Amino acid sequence: MTDRVSRIQAEWQRERPDLDVAPQGVFGRLARLAAAIEVELEAVFRQHGLTTGEFDVLAALRRAGAPYERTPTALADSTMVTAGGLTKRVDRLEDRGLVTRRISPLDGRGRVVALTDAGLTLVERAFEAHLANEHRLLAPLDTADRAALERLLRIWLDWLRAEH
């Protein structure tokens, strides 16, 4: 089956037959797949009035377990964003009544970010829809293919982390 990536590879192979353009088949498709998946994921978050980043913060708080709170540092680590980026997200969520900032019960000097009841309700609904969407996006792959893909991606990611 010929697609855009195959055509690009064929053009390069014609122009530079001395080079192995096979990696373009993987990277070109990964890039296109990642962009298409992002659009599909964002659509579900928008249906719940959230951006991907806002969902990420709410989900990190929900994963923390009751009382659904984390320090800003732990939340930044869990969401893989900078402290500045996290502050903007938390500000927006706080303005909407989905999270609160309060004094840490463990350390009277520190602060925690916590889900409100409204935030918990929203993230529960959004997460269920998100998982259903991810299952839909994986539908073309059978269980064995999904497991193989996950295993290969883990190996590749571990290797890249070790390189850096």
mmCIF file of all heavy atoms in Angstrom, residues 7-28:
data_model
loop_
_atom_site.group_PDB
_atom_site.id
_atom_site.type_symbol
_atom_site.label_atom_id
_atom_site.label_comp_id
_atom_site.label_asym_id
_atom_site.label_seq_id
_atom_site.Cartn_x
_atom_site.Cartn_y
_atom_site.Cartn_z
ATOM 1 N N ARG A 7 5.748 7.436 -0.670
ATOM 2 C CA ARG A 7 6.108 8.287 -1.824
ATOM 3 C C ARG A 7 7.371 9.095 -1.527
ATOM 4 O O ARG A 7 8.248 9.225 -2.383
ATOM 5 C CB ARG A 7 4.943 9.195 -2.187
ATOM 6 C CG ARG A 7 3.803 8.451 -2.875
ATOM 7 C CD ARG A 7 2.756 9.385 -3.478
ATOM 8 N NE ARG A 7 2.130 10.254 -2.497
ATOM 9 C CZ ARG A 7 1.057 9.919 -1.748
ATOM 10 N NH1 ARG A 7 0.507 8.726 -1.888
ATOM 11 N NH2 ARG A 7 0.550 10.772 -0.894
ATOM 12 N N ILE A 8 7.465 9.629 -0.307
ATOM 13 C CA ILE A 8 8.661 10.393 0.069
ATOM 14 C C ILE A 8 9.889 9.496 0.040
ATOM 15 O O ILE A 8 10.948 9.871 -0.489
ATOM 16 C CB ILE A 8 8.474 11.047 1.458
ATOM 17 C CG1 ILE A 8 7.426 12.157 1.368
ATOM 18 C CG2 ILE A 8 9.798 11.567 2.011
ATOM 19 C CD1 ILE A 8 6.967 12.694 2.715
ATOM 20 N N GLN A 9 9.746 8.290 0.581
ATOM 21 C CA GLN A 9 10.869 7.349 0.560
ATOM 22 C C GLN A 9 11.275 7.024 -0.876
ATOM 23 O O GLN A 9 12.475 6.976 -1.187
ATOM 24 C CB GLN A 9 10.486 6.056 1.280
ATOM 25 C CG GLN A 9 10.456 6.159 2.784
ATOM 26 C CD GLN A 9 10.017 4.850 3.391
ATOM 27 O OE1 GLN A 9 8.850 4.506 3.351
ATOM 28 N NE2 GLN A 9 10.977 4.124 3.947
ATOM 29 N N ALA A 10 10.304 6.788 -1.726
ATOM 30 C CA ALA A 10 10.602 6.451 -3.126
ATOM 31 C C ALA A 10 11.328 7.603 -3.819
ATOM 32 O O ALA A 10 12.269 7.380 -4.591
ATOM 33 C CB ALA A 10 9.319 6.098 -3.867
ATOM 34 N N GLU A 11 10.905 8.833 -3.532
ATOM 35 C CA GLU A 11 11.562 9.985 -4.144
ATOM 36 C C GLU A 11 13.016 10.094 -3.682
ATOM 37 O O GLU A 11 13.926 10.338 -4.494
ATOM 38 C CB GLU A 11 10.797 11.264 -3.808
ATOM 39 C CG GLU A 11 9.451 11.346 -4.509
ATOM 40 C CD GLU A 11 8.553 12.445 -3.966
ATOM 41 O OE1 GLU A 11 8.918 13.108 -2.964
ATOM 42 O OE2 GLU A 11 7.470 12.623 -4.537
ATOM 43 N N TRP A 12 13.230 9.912 -2.367
ATOM 44 C CA TRP A 12 14.602 9.967 -1.866
ATOM 45 C C TRP A 12 15.433 8.815 -2.409
ATOM 46 O O TRP A 12 16.614 8.995 -2.747
ATOM 47 C CB TRP A 12 14.644 9.960 -0.338
ATOM 48 C CG TRP A 12 14.482 11.333 0.238
ATOM 49 C CD1 TRP A 12 13.472 11.782 1.040
ATOM 50 C CD2 TRP A 12 15.348 12.444 0.048
ATOM 51 N NE1 TRP A 12 13.663 13.098 1.359
ATOM 52 C CE2 TRP A 12 14.825 13.530 0.755
ATOM 53 C CE3 TRP A 12 16.533 12.633 -0.656
ATOM 54 C CZ2 TRP A 12 15.427 14.779 0.792
ATOM 55 C CZ3 TRP A 12 17.139 13.883 -0.631
ATOM 56 C CH2 TRP A 12 16.585 14.942 0.090
ATOM 57 N N GLN A 13 14.829 7.634 -2.496
ATOM 58 C CA GLN A 13 15.559 6.475 -3.025
ATOM 59 C C GLN A 13 15.972 6.722 -4.471
ATOM 60 O O GLN A 13 17.081 6.365 -4.867
ATOM 61 C CB GLN A 13 14.694 5.220 -2.924
ATOM 62 C CG GLN A 13 15.459 3.949 -3.174
ATOM 63 C CD GLN A 13 16.547 3.707 -2.129
ATOM 64 O OE1 GLN A 13 16.275 3.697 -0.949
ATOM 65 N NE2 GLN A 13 17.773 3.517 -2.580
ATOM 66 N N ARG A 14 15.078 7.367 -5.224
ATOM 67 C CA ARG A 14 15.400 7.705 -6.614
ATOM 68 C C ARG A 14 16.537 8.723 -6.677
ATOM 69 O O ARG A 14 17.461 8.604 -7.480
ATOM 70 C CB ARG A 14 14.149 8.263 -7.304
ATOM 71 C CG ARG A 14 14.365 8.613 -8.776
ATOM 72 C CD ARG A 14 13.205 9.397 -9.374
ATOM 73 N NE ARG A 14 13.182 10.738 -8.789
ATOM 74 C CZ ARG A 14 12.115 11.318 -8.222
ATOM 75 N NH1 ARG A 14 10.958 10.684 -8.171
ATOM 76 N NH2 ARG A 14 12.185 12.531 -7.719
ATOM 77 N N GLU A 15 16.467 9.729 -5.809
ATOM 78 C CA GLU A 15 17.453 10.804 -5.834
ATOM 79 C C GLU A 15 18.766 10.443 -5.159
ATOM 80 O O GLU A 15 19.820 10.942 -5.545
ATOM 81 C CB GLU A 15 16.871 12.063 -5.169
ATOM 82 C CG GLU A 15 15.696 12.655 -5.919
ATOM 83 C CD GLU A 15 16.061 13.067 -7.328
ATOM 84 O OE1 GLU A 15 17.111 13.712 -7.512
ATOM 85 O OE2 GLU A 15 15.300 12.734 -8.259
ATOM 86 N N ARG A 16 18.674 9.584 -4.115
ATOM 87 C CA ARG A 16 19.874 9.192 -3.372
ATOM 88 C C ARG A 16 19.870 7.691 -3.152
ATOM 89 O O ARG A 16 19.709 7.205 -2.033
ATOM 90 C CB ARG A 16 19.928 9.911 -2.016
ATOM 91 C CG ARG A 16 20.182 11.406 -2.069
ATOM 92 C CD ARG A 16 21.560 11.786 -2.620
ATOM 93 N NE ARG A 16 22.679 11.100 -2.000
ATOM 94 C CZ ARG A 16 23.377 11.549 -0.967
ATOM 95 N NH1 ARG A 16 23.097 12.713 -0.433
ATOM 96 N NH2 ARG A 16 24.365 10.840 -0.465
ATOM 97 N N PRO A 17 20.057 6.907 -4.235
ATOM 98 C CA PRO A 17 20.035 5.453 -4.105
ATOM 99 C C PRO A 17 21.164 4.893 -3.228
ATOM 100 O O PRO A 17 21.111 3.743 -2.818
ATOM 101 C CB PRO A 17 20.151 4.963 -5.548
ATOM 102 C CG PRO A 17 20.739 6.099 -6.305
ATOM 103 C CD PRO A 17 20.309 7.345 -5.605
ATOM 104 N N ASP A 18 22.128 5.735 -2.928
ATOM 105 C CA ASP A 18 23.251 5.309 -2.093
ATOM 106 C C ASP A 18 22.908 5.294 -0.600
ATOM 107 O O ASP A 18 23.677 4.785 0.210
ATOM 108 C CB ASP A 18 24.461 6.227 -2.317
ATOM 109 C CG ASP A 18 24.127 7.692 -2.039
ATOM 110 O OD1 ASP A 18 23.078 8.176 -2.563
ATOM 111 O OD2 ASP A 18 24.888 8.349 -1.311
ATOM 112 N N LEU A 19 21.734 5.839 -0.230
ATOM 113 C CA LEU A 19 21.341 5.922 1.181
ATOM 114 C C LEU A 19 20.185 4.974 1.495
ATOM 115 O O LEU A 19 19.293 4.770 0.665
ATOM 116 C CB LEU A 19 20.923 7.352 1.532
ATOM 117 C CG LEU A 19 22.007 8.419 1.409
ATOM 118 C CD1 LEU A 19 21.425 9.796 1.704
ATOM 119 C CD2 LEU A 19 23.170 8.113 2.351
ATOM 120 N N ASP A 20 20.180 4.442 2.698
ATOM 121 C CA ASP A 20 19.082 3.592 3.180
ATOM 122 C C ASP A 20 18.031 4.495 3.812
ATOM 123 O O ASP A 20 18.242 5.042 4.891
ATOM 124 C CB ASP A 20 19.609 2.589 4.203
ATOM 125 C CG ASP A 20 18.516 1.726 4.809
ATOM 126 O OD1 ASP A 20 17.360 1.761 4.318
ATOM 127 O OD2 ASP A 20 18.812 1.024 5.794
ATOM 128 N N VAL A 21 16.908 4.649 3.141
ATOM 129 C CA VAL A 21 15.854 5.541 3.621
ATOM 130 C C VAL A 21 14.789 4.803 4.439
ATOM 131 O O VAL A 21 13.767 5.383 4.796
ATOM 132 C CB VAL A 21 15.191 6.304 2.445
ATOM 133 C CG1 VAL A 21 16.209 7.194 1.741
ATOM 134 C CG2 VAL A 21 14.532 5.334 1.467
ATOM 135 N N ALA A 22 15.046 3.555 4.776
ATOM 136 C CA ALA A 22 14.072 2.768 5.535
ATOM 137 C C ALA A 22 13.617 3.439 6.835
ATOM 138 O O ALA A 22 12.430 3.376 7.169
ATOM 139 C CB ALA A 22 14.619 1.372 5.819
ATOM 140 N N PRO A 23 14.507 4.100 7.604
ATOM 141 C CA PRO A 23 14.036 4.733 8.842
ATOM 142 C C PRO A 23 12.923 5.753 8.630
ATOM 143 O O PRO A 23 12.096 5.961 9.514
ATOM 144 C CB PRO A 23 15.290 5.405 9.409
ATOM 145 C CG PRO A 23 16.417 4.588 8.874
ATOM 146 C CD PRO A 23 15.972 4.179 7.485
ATOM 147 N N GLN A 24 12.880 6.366 7.455
ATOM 148 C CA GLN A 24 11.812 7.319 7.182
ATOM 149 C C GLN A 24 10.436 6.669 7.258
ATOM 150 O O GLN A 24 9.459 7.330 7.594
ATOM 151 C CB GLN A 24 11.991 7.960 5.804
ATOM 152 C CG GLN A 24 13.121 8.932 5.732
ATOM 153 C CD GLN A 24 13.159 9.627 4.397
ATOM 154 O OE1 GLN A 24 12.992 8.998 3.348
ATOM 155 N NE2 GLN A 24 13.369 10.927 4.425
ATOM 156 N N GLY A 25 10.362 5.397 6.956
ATOM 157 C CA GLY A 25 9.087 4.689 7.041
ATOM 158 C C GLY A 25 8.567 4.651 8.463
ATOM 159 O O GLY A 25 7.363 4.792 8.709
ATOM 160 N N VAL A 26 9.471 4.482 9.421
ATOM 161 C CA VAL A 26 9.086 4.465 10.835
ATOM 162 C C VAL A 26 8.830 5.885 11.324
ATOM 163 O O VAL A 26 7.762 6.189 11.867
ATOM 164 C CB VAL A 26 10.178 3.783 11.695
ATOM 165 C CG1 VAL A 26 9.869 3.925 13.174
ATOM 166 C CG2 VAL A 26 10.319 2.320 11.300
ATOM 167 N N PHE A 27 9.804 6.759 11.151
ATOM 168 C CA PHE A 27 9.691 8.096 11.722
ATOM 169 C C PHE A 27 8.607 8.939 11.061
ATOM 170 O O PHE A 27 7.903 9.686 11.741
ATOM 171 C CB PHE A 27 11.044 8.817 11.689
ATOM 172 C CG PHE A 27 12.015 8.215 12.644
ATOM 173 C CD1 PHE A 27 13.035 7.390 12.188
ATOM 174 C CD2 PHE A 27 11.911 8.438 14.004
ATOM 175 C CE1 PHE A 27 13.933 6.813 13.070
ATOM 176 C CE2 PHE A 27 12.800 7.860 14.896
ATOM 177 C CZ PHE A 27 13.814 7.044 14.423
ATOM 178 N N GLY A 28 8.471 8.828 9.768
ATOM 179 C CA GLY A 28 7.419 9.568 9.082
ATOM 180 C C GLY A 28 6.038 9.154 9.556
ATOM 181 O O GLY A 28 5.170 9.994 9.806
#
